[in-house]
Short mmCIF file of all heavy atoms in Angstrom, two decimals:
data_model
loop_
_atom_site.label_atom_id
_atom_site.label_comp_id
_atom_site.label_asym_id
_atom_site.label_seq_id
_atom_site.Cartn_x
_atom_site.Cartn_y
_atom_site.Cartn_z
N CYS F 1106 7.71 -2.87 -3.82
CA CYS F 1106 8.20 -1.70 -3.06
C CYS F 1106 7.52 -0.46 -3.49
O CYS F 1106 7.26 0.44 -2.68
CB CYS F 1106 9.71 -1.60 -3.21
SG CYS F 1106 10.62 -2.98 -2.44
N GLU F 1107 7.18 -0.38 -4.78
CA GLU F 1107 6.42 0.80 -5.28
C GLU F 1107 5.01 0.79 -4.70
O GLU F 1107 4.44 1.84 -4.39
CB GLU F 1107 6.35 0.76 -6.80
CG GLU F 1107 5.63 1.90 -7.43
CD GLU F 1107 6.31 3.25 -7.24
OE1 GLU F 1107 7.57 3.24 -7.16
OE2 GLU F 1107 5.61 4.27 -7.17
N VAL F 1108 4.42 -0.41 -4.57
CA VAL F 1108 3.10 -0.51 -3.94
C VAL F 1108 3.09 0.06 -2.50
O VAL F 1108 2.21 0.83 -2.13
CB VAL F 1108 2.63 -2.00 -3.89
CG1 VAL F 1108 1.40 -2.16 -2.98
CG2 VAL F 1108 2.30 -2.49 -5.31
N ILE F 1109 4.13 -0.29 -1.74
CA ILE F 1109 4.25 0.20 -0.37
C ILE F 1109 4.43 1.72 -0.38
O ILE F 1109 3.81 2.43 0.44
CB ILE F 1109 5.41 -0.45 0.34
CG1 ILE F 1109 5.23 -1.98 0.38
CG2 ILE F 1109 5.57 0.07 1.77
CD1 ILE F 1109 3.92 -2.45 1.02
N ALA F 1110 5.26 2.19 -1.26
CA ALA F 1110 5.49 3.67 -1.32
C ALA F 1110 4.20 4.41 -1.67
O ALA F 1110 3.85 5.44 -1.08
CB ALA F 1110 6.59 3.98 -2.35
N GLN F 1111 3.48 3.91 -2.65
CA GLN F 1111 2.23 4.58 -3.07
C GLN F 1111 1.20 4.55 -1.98
O GLN F 1111 0.42 5.47 -1.80
CB GLN F 1111 1.71 3.94 -4.37
CG GLN F 1111 2.55 4.25 -5.57
CD GLN F 1111 1.88 3.79 -6.88
OE1 GLN F 1111 0.68 3.59 -6.96
NE2 GLN F 1111 2.70 3.59 -7.92
N ALA F 1112 1.15 3.42 -1.26
CA ALA F 1112 0.20 3.35 -0.13
C ALA F 1112 0.52 4.39 0.91
O ALA F 1112 -0.39 5.03 1.50
CB ALA F 1112 0.24 1.93 0.49
N ALA F 1113 1.79 4.59 1.22
CA ALA F 1113 2.17 5.59 2.21
C ALA F 1113 1.78 7.00 1.75
O ALA F 1113 1.29 7.80 2.54
CB ALA F 1113 3.71 5.55 2.43
N PHE F 1114 2.00 7.33 0.48
CA PHE F 1114 1.63 8.64 -0.02
C PHE F 1114 0.13 8.82 0.00
O PHE F 1114 -0.39 9.92 0.20
CB PHE F 1114 2.22 8.87 -1.42
CG PHE F 1114 3.62 9.36 -1.41
CD1 PHE F 1114 4.66 8.49 -1.77
CD2 PHE F 1114 3.93 10.64 -1.02
CE1 PHE F 1114 5.96 8.93 -1.76
CE2 PHE F 1114 5.25 11.08 -1.01
CZ PHE F 1114 6.29 10.21 -1.38
N GLN F 1115 -0.59 7.74 -0.28
CA GLN F 1115 -2.08 7.87 -0.22
C GLN F 1115 -2.56 8.20 1.15
O GLN F 1115 -3.46 8.99 1.33
CB GLN F 1115 -2.72 6.57 -0.72
CG GLN F 1115 -4.26 6.67 -0.77
CD GLN F 1115 -4.88 5.38 -1.31
OE1 GLN F 1115 -4.23 4.55 -1.94
NE2 GLN F 1115 -6.14 5.19 -1.00
N LEU F 1116 -1.93 7.60 2.14
CA LEU F 1116 -2.30 7.86 3.54
C LEU F 1116 -1.99 9.30 3.93
O LEU F 1116 -2.79 10.00 4.62
CB LEU F 1116 -1.56 6.94 4.48
CG LEU F 1116 -1.97 5.49 4.51
CD1 LEU F 1116 -0.95 4.62 5.24
CD2 LEU F 1116 -3.36 5.35 5.13
N LEU F 1117 -0.84 9.83 3.45
CA LEU F 1117 -0.42 11.15 3.80
C LEU F 1117 -1.17 12.26 3.01
O LEU F 1117 -1.67 13.22 3.60
CB LEU F 1117 1.07 11.32 3.58
CG LEU F 1117 1.69 12.66 4.02
CD1 LEU F 1117 1.51 12.87 5.52
CD2 LEU F 1117 3.17 12.74 3.62
N GLN F 1118 -1.25 12.05 1.68
CA GLN F 1118 -1.83 13.10 0.83
C GLN F 1118 -3.33 12.92 0.63
O GLN F 1118 -4.06 13.91 0.55
CB GLN F 1118 -1.12 13.13 -0.50
CG GLN F 1118 0.35 13.51 -0.39
CD GLN F 1118 1.02 13.57 -1.72
OE1 GLN F 1118 1.48 12.58 -2.29
NE2 GLN F 1118 1.06 14.75 -2.33
N GLY F 1119 -3.76 11.70 0.57
CA GLY F 1119 -5.18 11.45 0.36
C GLY F 1119 -6.00 11.51 1.62
O GLY F 1119 -7.06 12.13 1.67
#
Side-chain angles (χ1 to χ4, degrees):
C1106 294
E1107 181 67 31
V1108 167
I1109 301 303
Q1111 289 188 22
F1114 277 107
Q1115 183 178 340
L1116 288 168
L1117 183 63
Q1118 296 182 275

